[in-house]
Amino acid sequence: MRGKFITLEGMDGAGKSTHSPDIIKLLESKGVEVVATREPGGTALGEQLRTLLLNEPMHPETETLLMFAARREHIAKVIEPALTRGAWVLSDRFTDATYAYQSGGRGVLANKVIELETWVQVGLQPDLTLLFDVPVEISVARLASARTPDKFERESSEFFTKIRNAYLDRANKNPNRFCIINSNQALDDVKVEVENIISTL
Ligand code: TYD
């Protein structure tokens, strides 16, 4: 049986990465093989593109194209083979991040992202997307106390407001796939919410 594809999304500082180890543990306790991966990245080439994407200034459309180049490789080498053999894939970010950051944040036309998505994904979509949502002030405050920020993490509150709105818009337009998690509550409460959602899958 084909595996399930779960993606984690949210602004920088929304806390999504904190929860992947618990999700992996929960799935493995149910006998599921889990492939945990991330974007941009997830393959040797993708990780090299990640270094460029997170550090080098570039035109917003170049950024979009490189995100999808990394994604093409990721789907071909990691995601599809895993799903086909029945493993579940947990990806820290996927295409919703491109809609949020490159289209919502940088202003790349959504139609261009749609074209690349159609080309690169050939119908592949996540079965479930957990959107970790916090007010922008919280995410910006968390980032300020974090380690050395990358190119995206150095952006302004205005940028993150656009990101958050674009993510919420994606969630509203795809209610069957998205679950919005209120990430502005005690860590244990978020954990319980996440576990309940994963269990339904
Ligand atoms: P992130 O997932 O936040 O990793 P870490 O927690 O290690 O910092 O970093 C990835 C960054 O890449 C994040 O700022 C969002 C950005 N990004 C895009 O702009 N577009 C995309 O399509 C993807 C996948 C990520």
PDB file of all heavy atoms in Angstrom, residues 12 50 53-55 143 147-155 160:
ATOM      1  N   ASP A  12       8.985  31.120   9.839  1.00  0.00           N
ATOM      2  CA  ASP A  12      10.175  30.886  10.659  1.00  0.00           C
ATOM      3  C   ASP A  12       9.793  31.261  12.091  1.00  0.00           C
ATOM      4  O   ASP A  12       9.132  32.266  12.316  1.00  0.00           O
ATOM      5  CB  ASP A  12      11.318  31.794  10.180  1.00  0.00           C
ATOM      6  CG  ASP A  12      11.741  31.453   8.774  1.00  0.00           C
ATOM      7  OD1 ASP A  12      12.605  30.600   8.606  1.00  0.00           O
ATOM      8  OD2 ASP A  12      11.162  32.038   7.826  1.00  0.00           O
ATOM      9  N   ARG A  50      20.128  24.409  -1.147  1.00  0.00           N
ATOM     10  CA  ARG A  50      19.671  25.044   0.095  1.00  0.00           C
ATOM     11  C   ARG A  50      20.694  26.085   0.596  1.00  0.00           C
ATOM     12  O   ARG A  50      20.326  27.190   0.989  1.00  0.00           O
ATOM     13  CB  ARG A  50      19.443  23.980   1.172  1.00  0.00           C
ATOM     14  CG  ARG A  50      18.975  24.554   2.508  1.00  0.00           C
ATOM     15  CD  ARG A  50      18.872  23.471   3.580  1.00  0.00           C
ATOM     16  NE  ARG A  50      18.509  24.030   4.866  1.00  0.00           N
ATOM     17  CZ  ARG A  50      17.260  24.105   5.343  1.00  0.00           C
ATOM     18  NH1 ARG A  50      16.258  23.652   4.628  1.00  0.00           N
ATOM     19  NH2 ARG A  50      17.007  24.649   6.509  1.00  0.00           N
ATOM     20  N   LEU A  53      20.313  29.059  -1.526  1.00  0.00           N
ATOM     21  CA  LEU A  53      19.027  29.723  -1.307  1.00  0.00           C
ATOM     22  C   LEU A  53      18.958  30.471   0.018  1.00  0.00           C
ATOM     23  O   LEU A  53      18.356  31.533   0.112  1.00  0.00           O
ATOM     24  CB  LEU A  53      17.899  28.690  -1.375  1.00  0.00           C
ATOM     25  CG  LEU A  53      17.504  28.275  -2.793  1.00  0.00           C
ATOM     26  CD1 LEU A  53      16.763  26.938  -2.801  1.00  0.00           C
ATOM     27  CD2 LEU A  53      16.645  29.367  -3.433  1.00  0.00           C
ATOM     28  N   LEU A  54      19.583  29.904   1.050  1.00  0.00           N
ATOM     29  CA  LEU A  54      19.487  30.515   2.374  1.00  0.00           C
ATOM     30  C   LEU A  54      20.554  31.585   2.623  1.00  0.00           C
ATOM     31  O   LEU A  54      20.517  32.245   3.650  1.00  0.00           O
ATOM     32  CB  LEU A  54      19.557  29.438   3.475  1.00  0.00           C
ATOM     33  CG  LEU A  54      18.195  28.908   3.941  1.00  0.00           C
ATOM     34  CD1 LEU A  54      17.328  28.413   2.811  1.00  0.00           C
ATOM     35  CD2 LEU A  54      18.358  27.815   4.984  1.00  0.00           C
ATOM     36  N   ASN A  55      21.491  31.698   1.667  1.00  0.00           N
ATOM     37  CA  ASN A  55      22.578  32.645   1.909  1.00  0.00           C
ATOM     38  C   ASN A  55      22.769  33.709   0.836  1.00  0.00           C
ATOM     39  O   ASN A  55      23.173  34.827   1.149  1.00  0.00           O
ATOM     40  CB  ASN A  55      23.900  31.881   2.106  1.00  0.00           C
ATOM     41  CG  ASN A  55      23.848  31.047   3.372  1.00  0.00           C
ATOM     42  OD1 ASN A  55      23.806  31.583   4.475  1.00  0.00           O
ATOM     43  ND2 ASN A  55      23.813  29.735   3.224  1.00  0.00           N
ATOM     44  N   LEU A 143      12.704  34.459  16.745  1.00  0.00           N
ATOM     45  CA  LEU A 143      13.867  34.508  15.845  1.00  0.00           C
ATOM     46  C   LEU A 143      14.972  35.382  16.417  1.00  0.00           C
ATOM     47  O   LEU A 143      16.152  35.069  16.269  1.00  0.00           O
ATOM     48  CB  LEU A 143      13.446  35.055  14.480  1.00  0.00           C
ATOM     49  CG  LEU A 143      12.611  34.118  13.613  1.00  0.00           C
ATOM     50  CD1 LEU A 143      12.222  34.805  12.314  1.00  0.00           C
ATOM     51  CD2 LEU A 143      13.370  32.837  13.320  1.00  0.00           C
ATOM     52  N   ARG A 147      19.715  31.367  17.052  1.00  0.00           N
ATOM     53  CA  ARG A 147      21.085  31.374  16.524  1.00  0.00           C
ATOM     54  C   ARG A 147      21.212  32.331  15.332  1.00  0.00           C
ATOM     55  O   ARG A 147      20.254  33.002  14.978  1.00  0.00           O
ATOM     56  CB  ARG A 147      21.429  29.947  16.087  1.00  0.00           C
ATOM     57  CG  ARG A 147      20.297  29.408  15.211  1.00  0.00           C
ATOM     58  CD  ARG A 147      20.471  28.043  14.690  1.00  0.00           C
ATOM     59  NE  ARG A 147      19.239  27.594  14.049  1.00  0.00           N
ATOM     60  CZ  ARG A 147      18.647  28.147  13.017  1.00  0.00           C
ATOM     61  NH1 ARG A 147      19.162  29.207  12.451  1.00  0.00           N
ATOM     62  NH2 ARG A 147      17.517  27.659  12.517  1.00  0.00           N
ATOM     63  N   THR A 148      22.383  32.355  14.695  1.00  0.00           N
ATOM     64  CA  THR A 148      22.610  33.263  13.570  1.00  0.00           C
ATOM     65  C   THR A 148      21.512  33.115  12.520  1.00  0.00           C
ATOM     66  O   THR A 148      21.316  32.027  11.982  1.00  0.00           O
ATOM     67  CB  THR A 148      23.967  32.901  12.882  1.00  0.00           C
ATOM     68  OG1 THR A 148      24.833  32.389  13.873  1.00  0.00           O
ATOM     69  CG2 THR A 148      24.538  34.085  12.174  1.00  0.00           C
ATOM     70  N   PRO A 149      20.808  34.193  12.217  1.00  0.00           N
ATOM     71  CA  PRO A 149      19.696  34.086  11.266  1.00  0.00           C
ATOM     72  C   PRO A 149      20.170  33.919   9.814  1.00  0.00           C
ATOM     73  O   PRO A 149      21.220  34.452   9.443  1.00  0.00           O
ATOM     74  CB  PRO A 149      18.964  35.428  11.430  1.00  0.00           C
ATOM     75  CG  PRO A 149      19.982  36.365  11.971  1.00  0.00           C
ATOM     76  CD  PRO A 149      20.970  35.560  12.741  1.00  0.00           C
ATOM     77  N   ASP A 150      19.390  33.160   8.998  1.00  0.00           N
ATOM     78  CA  ASP A 150      19.711  33.058   7.571  1.00  0.00           C
ATOM     79  C   ASP A 150      19.018  34.193   6.815  1.00  0.00           C
ATOM     80  O   ASP A 150      18.378  35.061   7.423  1.00  0.00           O
ATOM     81  CB  ASP A 150      19.357  31.656   7.028  1.00  0.00           C
ATOM     82  CG  ASP A 150      17.866  31.358   7.091  1.00  0.00           C
ATOM     83  OD1 ASP A 150      17.046  32.271   6.841  1.00  0.00           O
ATOM     84  OD2 ASP A 150      17.506  30.200   7.400  1.00  0.00           O
ATOM     85  N   LYS A 151      19.114  34.145   5.486  1.00  0.00           N
ATOM     86  CA  LYS A 151      18.580  35.221   4.633  1.00  0.00           C
ATOM     87  C   LYS A 151      17.096  35.499   4.911  1.00  0.00           C
ATOM     88  O   LYS A 151      16.672  36.646   4.995  1.00  0.00           O
ATOM     89  CB  LYS A 151      18.782  34.782   3.177  1.00  0.00           C
ATOM     90  CG  LYS A 151      18.457  35.808   2.134  1.00  0.00           C
ATOM     91  CD  LYS A 151      18.728  35.241   0.735  1.00  0.00           C
ATOM     92  CE  LYS A 151      17.517  34.551   0.153  1.00  0.00           C
ATOM     93  NZ  LYS A 151      17.754  33.975  -1.185  1.00  0.00           N
ATOM     94  N   PHE A 152      16.299  34.423   5.072  1.00  0.00           N
ATOM     95  CA  PHE A 152      14.863  34.602   5.283  1.00  0.00           C
ATOM     96  C   PHE A 152      14.577  35.095   6.700  1.00  0.00           C
ATOM     97  O   PHE A 152      13.716  35.942   6.916  1.00  0.00           O
ATOM     98  CB  PHE A 152      14.114  33.290   5.021  1.00  0.00           C
ATOM     99  CG  PHE A 152      14.165  32.875   3.580  1.00  0.00           C
ATOM    100  CD1 PHE A 152      15.075  31.929   3.136  1.00  0.00           C
ATOM    101  CD2 PHE A 152      13.311  33.455   2.648  1.00  0.00           C
ATOM    102  CE1 PHE A 152      15.140  31.556   1.809  1.00  0.00           C
ATOM    103  CE2 PHE A 152      13.365  33.093   1.305  1.00  0.00           C
ATOM    104  CZ  PHE A 152      14.283  32.129   0.883  1.00  0.00           C
ATOM    105  N   GLU A 153      15.336  34.551   7.647  1.00  0.00           N
ATOM    106  CA  GLU A 153      15.093  34.901   9.062  1.00  0.00           C
ATOM    107  C   GLU A 153      15.462  36.351   9.374  1.00  0.00           C
ATOM    108  O   GLU A 153      15.059  36.878  10.406  1.00  0.00           O
ATOM    109  CB  GLU A 153      15.865  33.935   9.973  1.00  0.00           C
ATOM    110  CG  GLU A 153      15.296  32.521   9.905  1.00  0.00           C
ATOM    111  CD  GLU A 153      16.217  31.456  10.476  1.00  0.00           C
ATOM    112  OE1 GLU A 153      17.432  31.714  10.618  1.00  0.00           O
ATOM    113  OE2 GLU A 153      15.721  30.366  10.766  1.00  0.00           O
ATOM    114  N   ARG A 154      16.229  36.983   8.480  1.00  0.00           N
ATOM    115  CA  ARG A 154      16.592  38.393   8.693  1.00  0.00           C
ATOM    116  C   ARG A 154      15.532  39.347   8.156  1.00  0.00           C
ATOM    117  O   ARG A 154      15.670  40.565   8.266  1.00  0.00           O
ATOM    118  CB  ARG A 154      17.939  38.691   8.004  1.00  0.00           C
ATOM    119  CG  ARG A 154      19.143  38.157   8.764  1.00  0.00           C
ATOM    120  CD  ARG A 154      20.446  38.778   8.263  1.00  0.00           C
ATOM    121  NE  ARG A 154      20.713  38.473   6.863  1.00  0.00           N
ATOM    122  CZ  ARG A 154      21.380  37.397   6.440  1.00  0.00           C
ATOM    123  NH1 ARG A 154      21.852  36.541   7.308  1.00  0.00           N
ATOM    124  NH2 ARG A 154      21.584  37.186   5.148  1.00  0.00           N
ATOM    125  N   GLU A 155      14.464  38.797   7.538  1.00  0.00           N
ATOM    126  CA  GLU A 155      13.436  39.651   6.932  1.00  0.00           C
ATOM    127  C   GLU A 155      12.631  40.407   8.003  1.00  0.00           C
ATOM    128  O   GLU A 155      12.660  40.064   9.183  1.00  0.00           O
ATOM    129  CB  GLU A 155      12.488  38.789   6.085  1.00  0.00           C
ATOM    130  CG  GLU A 155      13.111  38.286   4.790  1.00  0.00           C
ATOM    131  CD  GLU A 155      13.226  39.362   3.714  1.00  0.00           C
ATOM    132  OE1 GLU A 155      12.679  40.467   3.897  1.00  0.00           O
ATOM    133  OE2 GLU A 155      13.890  39.082   2.685  1.00  0.00           O
ATOM    134  N   PHE A 160       7.015  38.903   7.186  1.00  0.00           N
ATOM    135  CA  PHE A 160       6.419  37.749   7.867  1.00  0.00           C
ATOM    136  C   PHE A 160       4.890  37.848   7.945  1.00  0.00           C
ATOM    137  O   PHE A 160       4.205  36.835   7.954  1.00  0.00           O
ATOM    138  CB  PHE A 160       7.051  37.545   9.251  1.00  0.00           C
ATOM    139  CG  PHE A 160       8.435  36.981   9.156  1.00  0.00           C
ATOM    140  CD1 PHE A 160       9.538  37.712   9.558  1.00  0.00           C
ATOM    141  CD2 PHE A 160       8.648  35.723   8.601  1.00  0.00           C
ATOM    142  CE1 PHE A 160      10.830  37.199   9.422  1.00  0.00           C
ATOM    143  CE2 PHE A 160       9.935  35.190   8.463  1.00  0.00           C
ATOM    144  CZ  PHE A 160      11.018  35.940   8.876  1.00  0.00           C
TER     145      PHE A 160
END
